[in-house]
């Protein structure tokens, strides 16, 4: 189908929904690399004008990735909730934007709409929004998940401790975990990216975290971010697996590059559920995504990287996860060139995920060869937390010595909790106070003469 608009006397024609969405996207390196970006600011504005006039219902009749050859597309179309969609079915994309920004779009209303919003609808409306719009709408949408802690409550900010080590050294990992706990971090999860993906190593790491958790009765959940097949092996060995992790993308071919498909994720969800380690109704999966993943695998089907990223959220939504994390600047400057592009992408991802009903967190990060620095990350961290981000990363010194990129530190968490009046998950906050790490005013003030000394004494 052809879409068209006129700007400054020039008529622009866009051949199909894919092209329209790509040209309407804010400029970014990945779309330029793929030859999908608008050729001028005028063409971008023309695409946005045409997109604003597009009925939302058109997203249900035209697929950006072919239905016949892609299981993610089939998932999106076959599970679409028409009843949830019905209140907005008559709106255009522009009218949908206006509605999202209105007082009528309360958190309760938006939560009820989420099953009816497809990834392409979410991506499409985000392309018409300024950064402040993305923040304002996302802030209205709390998405709450539970395991041993409750994540996503308004006024709370949770943290994943990321204690990675280039040699999976248990002493180094243990020190980083204890350091994070002393800064009031860990309520999202203690999550280790292993240097080795062997089931034996993953099992050992999980057992060490479990030993610490049980010894000090810490209300946390653990995860070793190994491949899902490795975690299935660990579960078959009766390993203490709380959360199943997997990186996911927005097309069948991109997921195949990760070594997964929906059937494998279904198997993993069933396996972790059968362990009975969580309270009834707990959320048991952890997914990571990132703009550029499909393009880097040459599995983007001519679709812009932000739309492909949002399609990954349809995969995540299928499994009611505890955590979804956009690792926003990790893939590198070929996809998000500088701080401005990284900031925009982080706000887009958070908005689109929340709009689709997902518990979104962010790894506010960049690689050392990107045109970005820690000031850019301070900005994005602050903006995301204003927008109601569920959780962020806690990395010692903000420098991941195993993965070789820059993220956010335990100190950054103290900053943003302080300036925005945010607190940890309630169960974790109670533990921090009981243990002498946090005072009655929810300030991290470890009392080394009290119970906190016992935790330090456990350091390797």
């Amino acid at each position: 189908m052809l879409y068209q608009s006129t700007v400054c006397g020039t008529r622009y024609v866009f051949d199909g929904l894919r092209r329209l969405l790509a040209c309407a996207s804010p400029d970014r390196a990945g779309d330029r690399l793929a030859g999908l970006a608008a050729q001028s600011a005028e063409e971008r504005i023309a695409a946005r004008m045409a997109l604003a006039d597009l009925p939302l219902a058109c997203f249900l009749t035209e697929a950006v990735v072919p239905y016949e050859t892609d299981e993610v597309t089939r998932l999106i179309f076959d599970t679409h909730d028409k009843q949830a969609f019905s209140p907005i079915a008559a709106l255009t994309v522009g009218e949908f934007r206006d509605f999202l920004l209105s007082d009528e779009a309360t958190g309760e209303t938006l939560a009820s709409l989420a099953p009816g919003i497809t990834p392409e609808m979410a991506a499409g409306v985000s392309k018409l929004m300024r950064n402040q719009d993305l923040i304002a709408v996302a802030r209205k949408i709390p998405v709450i998940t539970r395991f041993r802690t409750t994540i996503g409550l308004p006024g709370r900010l949770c943290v994943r401790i990321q204690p990675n080590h280039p040699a999976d050294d248990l002493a180094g990992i243990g020190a980083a975990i204890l350091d994070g706990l002393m800064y009031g971090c860990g309520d999202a999860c203690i999550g280790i990216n292993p240097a080795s993906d062997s089931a034996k190593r993953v099992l050992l790491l999980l057992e060490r975290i479990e030993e610490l958790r049980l010894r000090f009765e810490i209300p946390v959940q653990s995860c070793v971010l190994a491949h899902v097949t490795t975690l299935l092996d660990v579960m078959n060995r009766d390993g203490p697996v709380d959360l199943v992790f997997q990186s996911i993308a927005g097309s069948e071919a991109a997921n195949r590059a990760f070594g997964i498909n929906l059937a494998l994720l279904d198997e993993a969800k069933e396996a972790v559920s059968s362990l009975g380690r969580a309270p009834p109704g707990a959320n048991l999966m952890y997914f990571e995504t990132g703009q550029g993943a499909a393009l880097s695998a040459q599995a983007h089907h001519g679709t812009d990287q932000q739309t492909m990223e949002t399609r990954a959220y349809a995969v995540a939504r299928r499994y009611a996860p505890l955590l979804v994390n956009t690792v926003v600047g990790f893939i590198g400057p070929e996809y998000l060139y500088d701080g401005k592009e990284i900031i925009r992408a982080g706000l887009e991802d958070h908005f689109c995920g929340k709009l689709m009903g997902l518990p979104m967190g962010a790894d506010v990060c960049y690689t050392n060869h990107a045109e970005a620095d820690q000031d850019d990350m301070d900005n994005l961290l602050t903006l995301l937390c204003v927008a109601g981000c569920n959780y962020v990363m806690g990395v010692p010194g903000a420098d991941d010595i195993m993965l070789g990129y820059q993220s956010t530190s335990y100190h950054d968490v103290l900053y943003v909790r302080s300036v925005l009046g945010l607190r940890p998950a309630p169960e974790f906050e109670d533990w921090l106070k009981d243990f002498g790490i946090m005072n009655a005013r929810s300030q991290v003030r470890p009392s080394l003469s009290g119970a906190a000394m016992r935790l330090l004494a456990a350091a390797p």
Side-chain angles (χ1 to χ4, degrees):
M1 185 172 177
L2 296 179
Y3 305 93
Q4 56 187 324
S5 185
T6 300
V7 172
C8 298
T10 301
R11 179 169 169 266
Y12 293 89
V13 178
F14 306 95
D15 185 8
L17 186 56
R18 264 192 310 242
R19 182 64 185 158
L20 179 66
L21 290 170
C23 287
S25 288
D27 193 33
R28 69 199 65 203
D31 292 340
R32 296 192 297 270
L33 177 67
L36 299 174
Q39 297 301 300
S40 66
E42 288 82 3
E43 184 180 23
R44 184 169 293 109
I45 292 300
R48 290 176 181 174
M49 290 172 64
L51 179 60
D53 290 337
L54 183 71
L56 286 175
C58 289
F59 289 100
L60 302 175
T61 60
E62 184 176 354
V64 298
V65 179
Y67 178 94
E68 296 76 15
T69 58
D70 187 86
E71 68 173 2
V72 177
T73 300
R74 293 194 291 275
L75 172 67
I76 292 166
F77 278 78
D78 294 350
T79 62
H80 180 249
D81 189 327
K82 294 180 175 58
Q83 183 174 352
F85 178 63
S86 61
I88 57 172
L91 300 182
T92 65
V93 178
E95 290 168 341
F96 185 39
R97 172 192 176 275
D98 293 343
F99 166 74
L100 292 174
L101 291 165
S102 73
D103 292 337
E104 292 107 65
T106 63
E108 183 179 33
T109 298
L110 295 177
S112 69
L113 290 175
I117 297 173
T118 69
E120 290 82 359
M121 291 176 194
V125 75
S126 76
K127 297 174 194 298
L128 304 182
M129 303 178 88
R130 295 170 57 186
N131 287 2
Q132 67 173 247
D133 299 337
L134 300 174
I135 294 167
V137 176
R139 185 174 176 83
K140 295 194 286 187
I141 313 174
V143 180
I144 299 167
T145 56
R146 294 176 175 85
F147 198 108
R148 296 186 186 99
T149 57
T150 304
I151 301 169
L153 292 168
R156 307 275 176 169
L157 174 66
C158 297
V159 186
R160 171 194 154 190
I161 290 179
Q162 185 171 300
N164 299 342
H165 192 281
D168 286 338
D169 178 75
L170 293 178
I173 289 170
I177 292 173
L178 293 173
D179 189 25
L181 292 172
M182 294 295 286
Y183 277 99
C185 299
D187 42 351
C189 77
I190 298 173
I192 305 169
N193 296 86
S196 167
D197 202 53
S198 75
K200 181 179 179 181
R201 173 61 61 176
V202 171
L203 179 58
L204 179 60
L205 293 172
L206 286 169
E207 287 175 341
R208 289 297 179 269
I209 301 175
E210 183 75 347
E211 179 183 338
L212 179 70
R213 180 183 75 82
L214 294 175
R215 179 178 177 182
F216 295 106
E217 300 181 319
I218 312 172
V220 294
Q221 39 279 339
S222 65
C223 184
V224 175
L225 282 68
H227 192 269
V228 64
T229 53
T230 304
L231 290 170
L232 282 167
D233 190 356
V234 171
M235 286 187 277
N236 287 333
R237 302 183 189 198
D238 297 322
V241 175
D242 286 341
L243 301 174
V244 167
F245 165 82
Q246 184 55 49
S247 295
I248 56 174
S251 72
E252 180 178 343
N255 283 325
R256 190 182 308 123
F258 283 136
I260 63 165
N261 55 31
L262 297 181
L264 182 60
L265 295 178
D266 290 346
E267 179 185 352
K269 174 70 179 297
E270 183 176 350
V272 73
S273 299
S274 71
L275 297 180
R277 290 179 53 80
N283 306 92
L284 302 172
M285 305 287 275
Y286 175 11
F287 295 115
E288 286 191 347
T289 67
Q291 288 195 28
L295 175 57
S296 68
Q298 290 296 299
H300 60 295
H301 298 271
T303 302
D304 70 272
Q305 69 178 35
Q306 190 249 336
T307 299
M308 289 304 297
E309 165 73 4
T310 308
R311 284 170 54 90
Y313 303 155
V315 177
R317 185 163 62 177
R318 175 181 176 91
Y319 300 99
L322 182 77
L323 308 168
V324 179
N325 178 34
T326 169
V327 192
V328 64
F330 181 73
I331 300 183
E334 300 84 0
Y335 305 94
L336 296 170
Y337 178 72
D338 58 14
K340 181 175 182 178
E341 292 186 10
I342 293 171
I343 288 169
R344 174 69 191 191
L347 295 176
E348 287 171 345
D349 295 350
H350 179 255
F351 162 83
C352 289
K354 283 286 187 72
L355 193 60
M356 292 176 61
L358 288 175
M360 293 300 295
D363 190 344
V364 178
C365 63
Y366 64 101
T367 57
N368 289 316
H369 61 310
E371 290 294 322
D373 59 27
Q374 212 64 31
D375 286 337
D376 295 313
M377 300 307 103
D378 288 348
N379 293 341
L380 180 53
L381 173 65
T382 305
L383 293 172
L384 282 170
C385 291
V386 170
C389 189
N390 280 22
Y391 70 101
V392 296
M393 302 298 111
V395 179
D399 183 4
D400 192 302
I401 59 174
M402 192 275 279
L403 293 174
Y405 77 116
Q406 309 304 311
S407 184
T408 47
S409 72
Y410 305 138
H411 303 79
D412 296 330
V413 172
L414 292 187
Y415 144 72
V416 79
R417 280 179 174 167
S418 174
V419 299
L420 296 178
L422 302 171
R423 294 156 56 194
E427 303 88 348
F428 191 69
E429 182 179 30
D430 290 344
W431 179 82
L432 290 171
K433 290 177 178 178
D434 291 343
F435 217 79
I437 294 173
M438 181 174 279
N439 66 21
R441 295 189 297 276
S442 297
Q443 298 168 319
V444 173
R445 300 288 190 271
S447 171
L448 297 185
S449 61
M453 183 62 82
R454 290 192 287 122
L455 191 63
L456 284 176

